[in-house]
Amino acid sequence: MVFRKPPDGGWGWVIVVVSFFTQFLCYGSPLAVGVLYLEWLDAFGEGKGKTAWVGSLANGIGLLASPVCSICVSSFGARPVAIFSGFMVAGGLMMSSFAPNIYFLYISYGIVVGLGCGLLYTATVTITCHYFDKRRGLALGLISTGSSVGLFIYAALQRELIDLYGLDGCLLIVGALSLNILACGSLMRPLESSDSPPPEKACVEKVPDQYFVYHEKEKNVEENISILEKGYVDEKCANNMPDYKQDSILNKNVLSSINVNEKDTYKKKVVEQTNFCKQLAKRKWQLYLNYWEETMVLFKNKVFSALFVAILLFDIGGFPPSLLMEDVARSANINEEDYHMPLISIIGIMTAVGKLTLGILADFKWVNTLYLYVTTLLMTGVALFAIPFAKSYLTLAMLSGILGFLTGNWSIFPYVTTKTVGIEKLTHAYGILMFFAGLGNSLGPPIVGWFYDWTQEYDTAFYFSGFCVLLGGFLLLLAALPCWNACTNQSSKLPPNTYSYKVASSA
């Protein structure tokens, strides 16, 4: 399907607003799960690594299922997926209020809420990219700030709701707020394709030929019945046999003829329906093979191959602070009276600033988005190495702000992906990359929690996190540089709709 040229405005700004609030409502609680994490530690008495699985699943399972989410959005559209996912997020949060143990939370909060968030994220990013081209960086930056603003507000909101209504009441209220996603999803009007036929004509053309065959055969049966009835009347007039004898003989002939025709028609219908199902299965299998062939083509792109390694290592090391920073402060014996603002809220508001700032920078022609993304990875690794040396609220707050700002590189990640593979392959490629991001989100917090359970301190855990992020940044830089230098010679050999970064940076 070839989409109409992105309007870069108009209804696209409505899409930006509703996508912002969609991410605000769905990601507010999962990203601010650090507040709930402390309550679950006290309520269930499990280890830090085991309890951290709840938040890591909520933030990772949706990304792990990104290929499935991408297929859903491609098949059904952003609007139906968004509405359905709104029910999932709200229902999962409400069910979590009745959790009897940590294992129930793995399902209700981790899987149900996490999968709903993944579907909503894919829907909002995809439809925004369809509506914007020249201003795509700004649009993606704006919608991605929704989750960050949600983190900032929900961190304080959930803490206040817990004080007033308890943990269960907090989850019920937050779940009710998530129902507003349904209203946002209803406004996600799809961008029509440029070559779409009229609806009536399309419906007629899509009807399989065998259904017309069935209709013709049914008409033949009716014609046979009418002929037999006509013969019955003529014969009755010609003969002087009693009426009841003529009726019984002719009725038997009519019924036997009808039964024979119906059996033959039924058998032919079964055969034709079986052939139709076989052809449909072959078609679906061919689509499945095409999907994997396209995936292999994507991985032949060096930049794309490096991106999936970098995003995996980045999320293993970079995600745990947003979940565990409150517990880091408590483990460092920082007095709660020194708290001027929750550390998670600082991460949230600075992430919003970072997403918006980096999104605006990505729209400048002189900015190379790949180098910008690599820079954020390297700086994040250095900041993670500094966490073990922070022993006061002020230093932890400063590091939280720095990490939050650098985590805003999520806003330029779809931009980098689009310029790498093209808008036509965005859904496919982005789903693959988000799968590895979800794997990192799911593994990162439990690994850090296990390090704490093993060593009874967070220092070793954050050294490990910093090393992972730095490694991913250096690998991406090394993999991209040869591709960058050779892109002028290889640009003619690239597949259609695939862009090298030299072209992308000046596009």
Side-chain angles (χ1 to χ4, degrees), residues 310-319 373 377 380 407 409-410 469:
I311 194 66
L312 172 64
L313 295 176
F314 171 73
D315 280 281
I316 288 177
F319 177 66
Y373 184 74
L377 294 183
T380 300
T407 307
N409 62 9
W410 274 103
V469 177

Side-chain angles (χ1 to χ4, degrees), residues 66 123 126 153 157 163 322 351 369-370 408 432 446 473 480:
S66 286
T126 302
I153 294 178
L157 176 63
D163 293 338
S322 63
T351 302
T369 51
L370 178 63
I432 295 172

Side-chain angles (χ1 to χ4, degrees), residues 122-135:
T122 305
T124 54
V125 168
T126 302
I127 196 169
T128 301
C129 287
H130 286 164
Y131 270 87
F132 288 89
D133 183 20
K134 295 180 180 178
R135 299 178 179 176

Side-chain angles (χ1 to χ4, degrees), residues 432-476:
I432 295 172
L433 292 173
M434 289 302 100
F435 172 84
F436 289 99
L439 186 62
N441 274 351
S442 300
L443 295 177
I447 289 174
V448 172
W450 290 329
F451 269 114
Y452 183 90
D453 293 336
W454 178 40
T455 62
Q456 295 302 308
E457 45 87 17
Y458 277 113
D459 294 357
T460 306
F462 283 106
Y463 290 145
F464 170 79
S465 298
F467 172 77
C468 288
V469 177
L470 285 175
L471 178 63
F474 280 120
L475 288 176
L476 178 58

Side-chain angles (χ1 to χ4, degrees), residues 35 38 159 324-346 392-394 396-397 400:
V35 176
L38 298 177
R159 178 173 290 180
L324 304 173
M325 192 61 81
E326 296 291 332
D327 193 49
V328 170
R330 188 167 71 171
S331 301
N333 297 321
I334 296 177
N335 193 343
E336 292 186 2
E337 296 178 357
D338 297 335
Y339 277 48
H340 303 291
M341 183 186 294
L343 295 174
I344 297 179
S345 295
I346 296 174
S392 66
Y393 172 81
L394 180 61
L396 282 176
S400 297

